[in-house]
Structures are given as structure tokens and as C-alpha cells.
Amino acid sequence: TPLVDGEAKQAQKTGQEIKKQLHLPDIILASPYKRAKDTLKGLTRGWPELAKVKTLEEERIREQEHGLATLYNDWRIFQILHPEQRLLYEQEGSYRYRYPQGESVPDVRVRSALMVETFIREYPEKTVMCLCHHLNILVMRANLERLSEEQFLSLDGKDKPINCGVTVYRGYPELGQDGHLVLDFYNKQYY
């Protein structure tokens, strides 16, 4: 889905504001989805120096795959037409349910964890900017902060990521043998 005009302005304003508060990243990793790419364009209008930063498309930070349910444009229609899937969803819950030919939240957590391992290994002591989506923001938090299923669901229910919200983790290598990423702030709105 493309950004609507208001969302593009949000991205531009966010770029203008984070330019004043954050360092220019060493690398940008962006979801291959159009919304993430358009958000990066908006951020760059507000923070033109971002255009000079190496940017890579990163599959592992795309949104959750909904498999066959995407054919119906709405999960509720999918569940009406496939009542056995609705029953399975109710039995397993939103966290563990895996869409046919799609993913569950734990599936997304696995690919997100692999992504974090990659940028820790390939970009040590570098500033990495990721442009991703709702669920991937939450699973990154869940992985980095070791959140349980219940904590994840609570966060998703009470403090969903906002559009163009900014979350920052800072690395502290002195906090253990392998270092540590610590949440500085979550879901900050700059527009």
C-alpha cells in the first residue's frame, strides 16, 4: 500500500527532527515493501544526507506473511470462508497461529533474530537504521529484550507501534562478553 499524503509529510517531518538528535547512520536496511521505501524517501526529504548512506533492501524485516489470507484483502473474510482456519486461530491464538502458506509471530521472531545477528556481526560499532513494519518492530523488541509471549501480546495490545515512530537501541559492549543493545526509547513521534 502506498503512503497517503499525510504519511509522507510525517516521514519528512520525522527526518527533519531526527537529523537534529541522531547521528547519520552508517548503513540503512529497509524492508522491500513499498511503504518502507516510500518512508525512506520521505525521511530523506527531511534529512537529505541520508541519500549518501549505503542502503540495502533486507527481506528479513518485511511484515508478517499472511499467505493465502492475502487473497481476500481482509483476514475476517478469509476466516468466514475458511471456518476451520478461524477455529484453529481461536485455538492457537494470534501469537502462535500460522496462516496457510504464511507465518506465525514466532516465525517472524526467528527471521528477525537472524537479522539482528547479521547486523551485529557485519556492522559492529556502526549505527544501523532499519525501516520496517509494525510486527517486525515488536518482534525486534521481543527478541532484544527477551519478552515472553504474554509480554509481547501486552505490548501489542497497549503500545502498538505508531506510523513513522522511532525506536532507538544503543550498543554497550562493556555490558558483557557479547555486548548488549539497550532500549533508549520506543515509538517516539516527531511529527
Side-chain angles (χ1 to χ4, degrees):
T1 316
L3 296 180
V4 296
D5 190 46
E7 291 172 329
K9 289 178 183 173
Q10 289 173 351
Q12 182 174 347
K13 179 69 173 165
T14 298
Q16 291 168 346
E17 295 303 314
I18 63 175
K19 174 183 179 175
K20 299 172 191 173
Q21 297 180 18
L22 301 176
H23 297 290
L24 189 66
D26 297 300
I27 187 150
I28 299 170
L29 303 173
S31 161
Y33 289 0
K34 183 168 177 37
R35 288 182 63 80
K37 292 176 182 180
D38 290 348
T39 298
L40 180 56
K41 287 177 188 172
L43 289 171
T44 303
R45 278 193 295 280
W47 190 359
E49 293 83 0
L50 288 176
K52 299 174 188 166
V53 176
K54 181 178 180 178
T55 301
L56 299 174
E57 193 171 282
E58 178 52 64
E59 279 287 328
R60 291 171 291 182
I61 58 174
R62 70 188 186 280
E63 188 57 285
Q64 180 182 19
E65 298 288 340
H66 290 105
L68 293 177
T70 57
L71 296 175
Y72 299 92
N73 291 329
D74 188 311
W75 62 269
R76 291 168 288 228
I77 294 171
F78 171 72
Q79 287 187 353
I80 288 169
L81 295 173
H82 298 278
E84 74 287 354
Q85 290 297 317
R86 181 183 49 80
L87 293 172
L88 189 58
Y89 180 87
E90 290 171 358
Q91 179 180 327
E92 293 187 349
S94 63
Y95 186 83
R96 300 226 173 259
Y97 174 75
R98 179 180 289 116
Y99 290 90
Q101 297 179 356
E103 298 176 300
S104 66
V105 172
D107 294 333
V108 179
R109 282 186 79 160
V110 168
R111 70 172 152 83
S112 178
L114 292 170
M115 171 57 217
V116 171
E117 287 177 16
T118 298
F119 69 65
I120 288 172
R121 182 182 65 250
E122 293 184 9
Y123 311 111
E125 300 181 30
K126 302 286 185 196
T127 300
V128 179
M129 176 187 278
C130 294
L131 282 96
C132 56
H133 311 275
H134 172 108
L135 189 68
N136 214 281
I137 294 166
L138 292 175
V139 298
M140 274 195 202
R141 279 204 64 190
N143 288 342
L144 292 171
E145 298 171 40
R146 307 286 195 264
L147 301 181
S148 67
E149 176 180 345
E150 293 75 25
Q151 291 168 315
F152 175 91
L153 291 170
S154 177
L155 180 64
D156 191 26
K158 295 178 183 169
D159 199 6
K160 291 183 185 307
I162 61 171
N163 190 57
C164 214
V166 178
T167 299
V168 171
Y169 282 88
R170 298 202 188 273
Y172 294 94
E174 68 276 6
L175 294 179
Q177 182 179 7
D178 298 321
H180 201 69
L181 290 171
V182 176
L183 181 66
D184 192 14
F185 57 84
Y186 165 68
N187 219 16
K188 193 167 184 178
Q189 181 175 333
Y190 285 95
Y191 50 89

